[in-house]
Amino acid sequence: MTQTTVPVIFDLDGTLVDPAGGITDGIASALRAVGLPVPGQDLLHSMIGPKLSDALLNVAQVPADLLDEVIRLYREYYVATGIAQSRIYPGVREVLESFAAAGLPVAVATQKPQRLARTVLEHHGVDGLFHGIHGSADDESAVQGIPLGKTEIIAAALKDLDTQHAVMVGDRAQDVSGAIANGLDCIGVSWGFAPDGELEEAGAVAIVDTAEGLEELIGRMQAVHAAAMSGVTNDGNV
């Protein structure tokens, strides 16, 4: 069967949802609770997007023997307080509703724990608009084996969508690199947490500044794909 639409896979924090201090405040609270120094605001912001355990080890310099406790304290804060601090970026809800009305499949691929990602989307009342919500393991502490990275999470979303053709939308370099590793284009959004130039350097095919601009760009991509598919005959020859 010819695929006439190209599904869209979204990152979560910094793309769909503005954590609005819920993540950075939670990290700061957890670090203080175990007597560790709190990085400056710029470094805290740089921790939004990457896998939490990696960010804590590499940016906040959390000792490995304190990692599980810091993650536990952070999650405790985030569930109790942080989710309520978050908000959907302007125009994003309308874009998701428009895609749903048009029958365009959409999914989420985030390095946030999968169950928690669903809770955040449920809090904002948009979970039902997604074909699938994919994230990292729900138990981030004492990770055994090779943890899921963005590449593997995007691959899981593709498998769930039953396609190898999709477009990724994200705000950080790992969204772009994860998309490229799966053979996908990635659209960057400027309203997230990437430093200047990060998305371009990573290889994003375009950068959009508004949700309306994102919807327009994806609409143009869908039209180009549909036109290309209209030239494919039943036997697969163009």
Side-chain angles (χ1 to χ4, degrees):
M1 180 181 295
T2 301
Q3 182 182 321
T4 57
T5 59
V6 179
V8 184
I9 302 174
F10 290 93
D11 174 50
L12 181 55
D13 292 321
T15 301
L16 297 175
V17 173
D18 179 359
I23 291 177
T24 53
D25 289 356
I27 291 172
S29 175
L31 293 174
R32 291 190 191 99
V34 297
L36 293 175
V38 176
Q41 201 62 36
D42 286 347
L43 285 178
L44 285 173
H45 278 155
S46 75
M47 297 172 71
I48 300 174
K51 191 172 188 294
L52 178 62
S53 57
D54 291 345
L56 289 172
L57 289 169
N58 300 322
V59 178
Q61 303 297 309
V62 173
D65 62 337
L66 289 178
L67 181 62
D68 287 357
E69 179 65 5
V70 171
I71 290 175
R72 185 191 68 78
L73 290 167
Y74 165 76
R75 290 298 175 209
E76 197 173 79
Y77 176 97
Y78 186 76
V79 170
T81 304
I83 292 175
Q85 291 178 249
S86 68
R87 62 182 180 86
I88 292 185
Y89 285 105
V92 165
R93 185 188 303 274
E94 290 75 14
V95 169
L96 294 175
E97 290 172 345
S98 174
F99 287 168
L104 178 61
V106 294
V108 168
T110 174
Q111 292 193 111
K112 186 185 291 295
Q114 187 163 302
R115 187 182 302 132
L116 191 55
R118 183 173 293 278
T119 299
V120 171
L121 294 168
E122 287 175 349
H123 173 79
H124 292 289
V126 295
D127 56 301
L129 299 176
F130 295 97
H131 179 85
I133 298 169
H134 300 270
S136 63
D138 289 322
D139 182 8
E140 295 173 284
S141 62
V143 176
Q144 297 180 357
I146 301 174
L148 291 179
K150 199 71 182 217
T151 297
E152 292 80 13
I153 295 169
I154 293 172
L158 285 169
K159 183 177 180 181
D160 190 40
L161 289 163
D162 192 24
T163 183
Q164 288 301 310
H165 303 286
V167 60
M168 181 72 194
V169 179
D171 74 307
R172 295 301 306 272
Q174 63 265 18
D175 300 317
V176 183
S177 60
I180 291 172
N182 282 284
L184 310 182
D185 287 336
C186 183
I187 299 170
V189 299
S190 66
W191 55 78
F193 293 93
D196 289 345
E198 178 181 288
L199 291 166
E200 293 88 345
E201 184 176 345
V205 296
I207 313 292
V208 296
D209 298 323
T210 65
E212 294 78 11
L214 175 63
E215 184 175 12
E216 290 173 7
L217 177 56
I218 290 176
R220 292 198 300 271
M221 295 174 74
Q222 297 293 334
V224 169
H225 178 78
M229 289 300 98
S230 69
V232 178
T233 63
N234 289 335
D235 63 3
N237 296 317
V238 177

